[in-house]
Amino acid sequence: MICGKSPPDIRNAQAQSIAVAARLLADDQLVAVPTETVYGLGANAQSGTAVARLYAAKGRPRFNPLIAHVRDAAKAAELAELPELGRRLADAFWPGPLTLVLKRRDHAPISDLATAGLDTIAVRVPAHPVMQALLSAFGHAIVAPSANRSGHVSATSAHEVAADFDSEQVAMILDGGACRLGIESTIIDVTGEQPRLLRPGAIARQAIDAITPLIHGGAHGTTLDDTSRPRAPGLLASHYAPRARVRLDALDARTGEALLAFGPNAPHAAITINLSPTGDLVEAAAHLFSALRRLDAQGVAAIAVMPIPQHGLGEAINDRLRRAAAPRP
Ligand code: TXA
Ligand code: MG
């Protein structure tokens, strides 16, 4: 929180506060919203003023476009062309943690600032009932990046959002509880012949591959490893970073390090958080960001992270951890 300023207003996400949130959005204010992946910082997608406010509040570079959240595939089709490939993935995973990069329609009702002037647009139909209710009440697309300061760890609870912003930046936080999945959506570009994975996320590569084969490439089987020119413009090398230094593939903690452990039989350091004592990658993904924030809150200087298997959601977890450990700008 910024000293001297008050934190944003946190409200239980009942019908009344959802109606207030819809009015605030219509008034170009920012509202933080729960989704099944992480909290989003929502703004009226059609309003340049609201979107400019959003970039300013996050401290986000304006070349980094936003995800438009809509109620259903029919609403998505108002913003963008949904090719057969996209339709198949949408049928399988919407509502849910899938973001599709699509060709933007010529007169799509969305601010150019939100798409950073690109001719494509990232669209997602979230499953969280509070976000669905808000989308229905508001009636239009809501752009929402993860509700954290740019480059910082994503927020998976209302209190974590409140720690990154003040009431002048964010008019209201709708509290929908802890995010069920805890890691961002999987982003897939379907503007080409074959779908391309731009960001590993809450839907594992294998689940996408079962619907339609993804283009493979890159050292880790993704296309994102050239982080100097990322395909999703926001995927810069250093991201998701806690204050503490992060050391990967650690088998134990050194003096002064806290341990971010995984699986049974993990060693114990003075400060240890085990992402999943049973070795469950879905559970580990759900706990990752809150664990990094909790270790920061305890003031640890460095975090040693045990190896996480690369399969299933491990790919998304390792992607976030690599960026958390990358040299800071
Ligand atoms: O789970 C999620 O996706 C969360 C929740 C709130 O929905 N949102 C989220 O947004 O993670 P954000 O802004 O933190 O990440 C969106 C990513 C950025 O890396 C951005 O560069 C990329 O999506 N992106 C947006 N539009 C794009 C486009 N047209 N082409 C390629 N990448 C795009
Ligand atoms: Mg983010």
Side-chain angles (χ1 to χ4, degrees):
M1 196 196 320
I2 296 162
C3 288
K5 298 207 170 159
S6 57
D9 182 18
I10 300 183
R11 299 269 189 104
N12 275 333
Q14 296 137 342
Q16 204 188 1
S17 31
I18 289 171
V20 175
R23 280 202 297 279
L24 288 168
L25 288 174
D27 198 24
D28 292 345
Q29 302 290 315
L30 306 185
V31 176
V33 292
T35 85
E36 68 278 24
T37 59
V38 297
Y39 272 73
L41 189 55
N44 178 357
Q46 297 185 68
S47 161
T49 308
V51 176
R53 237 175 224 165
L54 183 53
Y55 280 102
K58 269 201 67 127
R60 177 173 177 129
R62 288 181 176 216
F63 58 77
N64 186 5
L66 304 168
I67 297 175
H69 297 69
V70 291
R71 204 170 49 200
D72 52 31
K75 276 280 182 193
E78 290 175 13
L79 296 175
E81 294 164 27
L82 199 54
E84 167 56 24
L85 201 60
R87 167 84 45 196
R88 251 188 293 158
L89 289 168
D91 285 348
F93 298 111
W94 278 353
L98 170 74
T99 296
L100 292 176
V101 170
L102 302 165
K103 284 211 176 75
R104 180 194 159 134
R105 286 198 191 283
D106 274 348
H107 300 289
I110 184 159
S111 143
D112 283 331
L113 193 53
T115 53
L118 298 175
D119 58 3
T120 57
I121 176 171
V123 185
R124 156 160 134 78
V125 176
H128 197 293
V130 172
M131 188 59 174
Q132 275 287 335
L134 181 61
L135 284 165
S136 294
F138 183 55
H140 310 285
I142 298 174
V143 281
S146 52
N148 52 279
R149 273 179 293 103
S150 187
H152 192 217
V153 179
S154 305
T156 57
S157 73
H159 288 279
E160 288 173 5
V161 178
D164 270 20
F165 299 101
D166 65 53
S167 59
E168 280 174 23
Q169 297 167 307
V170 176
M172 184 202 279
I173 301 175
L174 277 177
D175 188 350
C179 299
R180 181 168 56 84
L181 299 168
I183 200 156
E184 294 86 352
S185 61
T186 301
I187 305 183
I188 299 187
D189 180 347
V190 289
T191 59
E193 302 250 298
Q194 252 188 298
R196 188 181 285 275
L197 181 68
L198 299 188
R199 178 177 73 181
I203 300 173
R205 167 195 294 277
Q206 294 80 358
I208 307 280
D209 262 333
I211 306 291
T212 169
L214 282 164
I215 294 181
H216 291 255
H220 298 273
T222 80
T223 54
L224 291 172
D225 295 285
D226 179 6
T227 45
S228 58
R229 285 183 53 231
R231 285 181 190 278
L235 288 169
L236 304 171
S238 172
H239 209 107
Y240 310 102
R243 259 197 316 274
R245 279 191 319 281
V246 176
R247 181 169 69 87
L248 302 181
D249 293 321
L251 297 179
D252 207 343
R254 296 175 187 154
T255 313
E257 285 181 336
L259 183 67
L260 193 60
F262 176 78
N265 316 317
H268 278 272
I271 300 177
T272 304
I273 296 180
N274 195 323
L275 291 175
S276 171
T278 60
D280 176 349
L281 288 164
V282 175
E283 183 184 32
H287 293 159
L288 175 66
F289 291 135
S290 59
L292 292 173
R293 281 182 179 259
R294 266 160 59 208
L295 291 174
D296 259 354
Q298 293 188 52
V300 308
I303 304 171
V305 186
M306 286 180 64
I308 310 280
Q310 178 69 4
H311 60 81
L313 291 198
E315 182 176 3
I317 297 172
N318 285 324
D319 170 77
R320 306 306 187 269
L321 284 170
R322 271 202 307 278
R323 293 174 205 282
R328 316 275 163 92

